[in-house]
Amino acid sequence: MIHFENVGLRYGMGPEILRDLTFDIPKKSFQFLTGPSGAGKTTLLRLLFLSLQPTRGLIRMFGRDITDIPRTELPLLRRRVGIIFQEFRLLDHLTTYENVALPLRVRGKDESSYKTDVLELLKWVGLGERINVLPPVLSGGEKQRAAIARALIDRPEILLADEPTANVDPPMARRLLNLFLELNRLGTAVVIATHDLTLMDQVDARRMILSEGHLDIHD
Ligand SMILES: Nc1ncnc2c1ncn2[C@@H]1O[C@H](COP(=O)(O)OP(=O)(O)OP(=O)(O)O)[C@@H](O)[C@H]1O
Ligand SMILES: [Mg+2]
């Protein structure tokens, strides 16, 4: 589904943050992306979300070389990727329901076509009772789950999550992990960036380990 070959990335004239990354992310796979703070986990997720272009190397996504894709087509491809940012990025003046529905609303979809989906998804992440409240009122774990629901509302083929358990206690981390595992069982590929060892130890999953610009993969 995704193929990287000798990919390198530097910001501006800075040092190369990622060097010679060569790997695949298969359809329906589940993996952790780990490594020390500053190793480049968020940077790699941004490459996977097509919000950064590599400074060298080749990236193929869904069968296409991303350098051949016209800018105007990027949003279409990006729709196939769901992302949960490290800092949530929920809009504080919109309710939980409206935040989750936003990606569809901006595309001009009619509310009647998605209302049931949004409500069901919010129930699935355990926010059925928090539909009409604003994000500032939500707890860290609730915000995290609202961000998960928003990333999933467009049924992406791959979900990228950046430190999804950084702001929650261990039982909530376990619940979130179970959500990601269930999603993966339903057929969505999942990449979780984390340095939470206790989280990773709970599942026997592939680990992509970034260190000093290089990537090691433990299957
Ligand atoms: N927009 C940017 N411009 C310049 N340098 C950047 C930018 N974003 C990140 N960096 C640098 O790239 C390196 C990797 O950062 P990145 O955020 O990808 O690491 P990370 O592994 O996600 O870290 P953390 O675990 O703290 O979230 C860091 O040295 C950082 O300072
Ligand atoms: Mg990061």
Side-chain angles (χ1 to χ4, degrees):
M1 180 162 71
I2 295 173
H3 176 69
F4 274 49
E5 211 167 294
N6 297 317
V7 169
L9 182 113
R10 62 175 81 240
Y11 289 103
M13 302 299 280
E16 209 164 43
I17 307 283
L18 301 175
R19 262 178 263 149
D20 296 312
L21 301 196
T22 298
F23 65 91
D24 286 296
I25 294 182
K27 265 188 185 165
K28 304 182 181 189
S29 59
F30 185 100
Q31 46 261 301
F32 292 110
L33 170 61
T34 187
S37 185
K41 301 180 293 297
T42 299
T43 302
L44 180 49
L45 292 185
R46 290 181 63 200
L47 283 170
L48 290 167
F49 190 57
L50 303 170
S51 66
L52 267 184
Q53 288 274 355
T55 34
R56 60 187 178 88
L58 176 100
I59 299 181
R60 228 176 24 240
M61 285 189 74
F62 309 115
R64 298 183 59 184
D65 180 341
I66 62 147
T67 48
D68 293 343
I69 299 171
R71 279 197 158 272
T72 48
E73 270 182 52
L74 281 182
L76 261 172
L77 213 63
R78 217 178 259 144
R79 222 179 273 166
R80 299 168 73 174
V81 183
I83 190 162
I84 304 159
F85 298 100
Q86 212 160 354
E87 67 287 355
F88 311 133
R89 302 194 191 174
L90 297 168
L91 298 177
D92 285 348
H93 62 286
L94 297 182
T95 66
T96 307
Y97 170 88
E98 290 165 338
N99 264 287
V100 173
L102 193 62
L104 302 176
R105 213 180 87 197
V106 289
R107 271 169 47 206
K109 286 210 169 185
D110 199 71
E111 189 179 9
S112 60
S113 72
Y114 60 69
K115 188 168 182 186
T116 322
D117 287 350
V118 174
L119 294 174
E120 269 177 19
L121 187 55
L122 282 168
K123 230 183 271 165
W124 185 69
V125 299
L127 289 179
E129 312 289 310
R130 309 296 269 157
I131 289 164
N132 294 315
V133 303
L134 300 175
V137 179
L138 298 175
S139 73
E142 288 173 335
K143 279 186 199 141
Q144 190 60 259
R145 283 177 282 151
I148 294 172
R150 186 188 48 193
L152 294 178
I153 189 62
D154 230 352
R155 300 171 193 275
E157 287 158 66
I158 178 166
L159 178 73
L160 313 171
D162 202 353
E163 300 284 355
T165 59
N167 304 297
V168 300
D169 58 15
M172 179 56 73
R174 178 75 226 184
R175 272 183 72 186
L176 294 176
L177 181 62
N178 285 338
L179 272 181
F180 294 130
L181 289 168
E182 190 180 337
L183 181 73
N184 178 245
R185 274 194 294 274
L186 296 170
T188 309
V190 175
V191 181
I192 301 177
T194 183
H195 30 230
D196 184 346
L197 280 173
T198 35
L199 186 80
M200 286 186 279
D201 285 343
Q202 293 177 42
V203 208
D204 183 23
R206 187 180 191 219
R207 291 188 194 186
M208 304 169 68
I209 305 164
L210 274 175
S211 144
E212 294 175 10
H214 294 284
L215 184 69
D216 261 334
I217 296 190
H218 294 202
D219 280 300

